[in-house]
């Protein structure tokens, strides 16, 4: 899944070109995290986090509950104070103006506070805010982008419905829609499949992957389902106790030994038809 299709329909194709050394051995990272640390209420939540996500790749961050996965994405998105550095194409995220940051990076939290009286369309349209002039109104293009994303997420029938009248899975897809409407080259998605049934889990992950390949997006997700993470991610980072316990290709990180140690679970790891790891729980 590391190949990329050509073509672009979202307006940031010029941002999606990876640089490389003449020999092709080194690819400049779209996202780099250096020595990131987060302290909340005098408690160290993350410490010494280093990440490299190559342009156009998908990184899945995994770990047991409380490992710091959501905190990491919030810090990378610039919505949580942290020390260390988060770089997008060598631009420090914390030094960017909010509108400039939003054009580079879209963040979909796991459980955002939603305005219950706002319609699905108007909420998703908020993703176009970085492109709308101050004191201006959305353009026809902004509305077309929004309608297209809602359609691809099977949300067109709900455009006029208020957020307070959606199921948990429908709300989750609307949050993802707002992030995709933003058309940023970097997507940070915190548990994008939470509350979704099996069919919509697949639909959402396939859509994210298609957009990634077509538009050269760089994707960082947290995922509880280890088999799903192994099916879609190019690389994985395992967090434990606020630190990186393992990082690399899915087959390197999803091993029975590492899962047993950091998830306290007994599993069998098999190799699927595409050569990707599949994790199966085994009864003690």
């Amino acid at each position: 899944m590391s190949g990329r299709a050509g073509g672009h329909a979202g307006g940031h194709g010029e941002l999606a070109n990876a640089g490389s050394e003449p020999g092709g051995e080194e690819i400049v990272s779209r996202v780099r995290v250096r020595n990131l640390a987060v302290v909340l209420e005098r408690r160290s939540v993350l410490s010494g986090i280093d990440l490299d996500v190559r342009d156009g790749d998908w990184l899945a961050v995994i770990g047991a509950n409380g490992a710091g996965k959501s905190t990491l994405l919030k810090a990378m998105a610039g919505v949580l104070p942290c020390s260390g550095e988060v770089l997008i194409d060598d631009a420090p995220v914390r030094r960017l103006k909010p509108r400039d940051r939003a054009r580079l990076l879209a963040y979909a939290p796991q459980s955002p506070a939603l305005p219950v009286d706002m319609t699905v369309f108007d909420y998703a349209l908020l993703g176009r805010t970085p492109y709308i002039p101050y004191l201006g109104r959305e353009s026809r293009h902004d509305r077309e982008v929004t309608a297209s994303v809602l359609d691809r997420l099977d949300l067109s029938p709900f455009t006029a419905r208020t957020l307070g009248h959606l199921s948990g899975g429908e709300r989750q897809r609307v949050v993802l829609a707002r992030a995709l409407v933003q058309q940023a080259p970097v997507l940070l998605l915190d548990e994008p499949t939470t509350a979704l049934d099996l069919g919509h889990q697949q639909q959402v992950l396939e859509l994210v992957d298609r957009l990634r390949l077509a538009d050269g997006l760089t994707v960082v997700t947290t995922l509880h389902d280890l088999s799903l993470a192994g099916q879609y991610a190019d690389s994985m980072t395992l967090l434990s106790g606020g630190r990186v316990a393992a990082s690399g290709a899915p087959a390197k990180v999803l091993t029975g030994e590492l899962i047993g140690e950091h998830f306290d679970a007994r599993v069998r790891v098999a190799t699927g038809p595409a050569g990707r790891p599949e994790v199966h729980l085994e009864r003690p």
Side-chain angles (χ1 to χ4, degrees), residues 66-193:
K69 303 185 298 296
S70 294
T71 300
L72 173 59
L73 259 63
K74 290 177 183 177
M76 291 176 66
V79 300
L80 196 66
C82 65
S83 60
E85 202 73 86
V86 179
L87 303 164
I88 298 179
D89 284 350
D90 296 324
V93 169
R94 70 174 69 186
R95 299 179 193 173
L96 297 174
K97 295 178 180 179
R99 285 172 67 88
D100 293 333
R101 182 169 62 216
R103 291 185 181 193
L104 283 178
L105 184 152
Y107 165 60
Q110 183 176 347
S111 302
L114 299 177
V116 294
D117 294 328
M118 182 175 281
T119 68
V120 166
F121 188 89
D122 287 343
Y123 181 78
L125 185 61
L126 291 174
R128 301 302 300 166
T129 301
Y131 307 96
I132 299 173
Y134 290 111
L135 303 180
R137 293 183 58 83
E138 71 275 3
S139 67
R140 178 180 176 181
H141 175 68
D142 295 324
R143 300 184 70 84
E144 287 175 348
V145 169
T146 302
S148 174
V149 170
L150 290 174
D151 182 60
R152 295 172 83 173
L153 280 170
D154 201 21
L155 288 168
S156 292
F158 304 97
T159 53
R161 188 176 298 184
T162 58
L163 300 178
H165 288 86
L166 299 178
S167 70
E170 290 160 356
R171 285 195 296 269
Q172 191 72 20
R173 281 184 284 150
V174 172
V175 172
L176 175 61
R178 175 177 170 171
L180 293 176
V181 164
Q182 205 167 317
Q183 289 189 310
V186 176
L187 272 178
L188 303 181
L189 308 177
D190 192 6
E191 294 293 345
T193 58

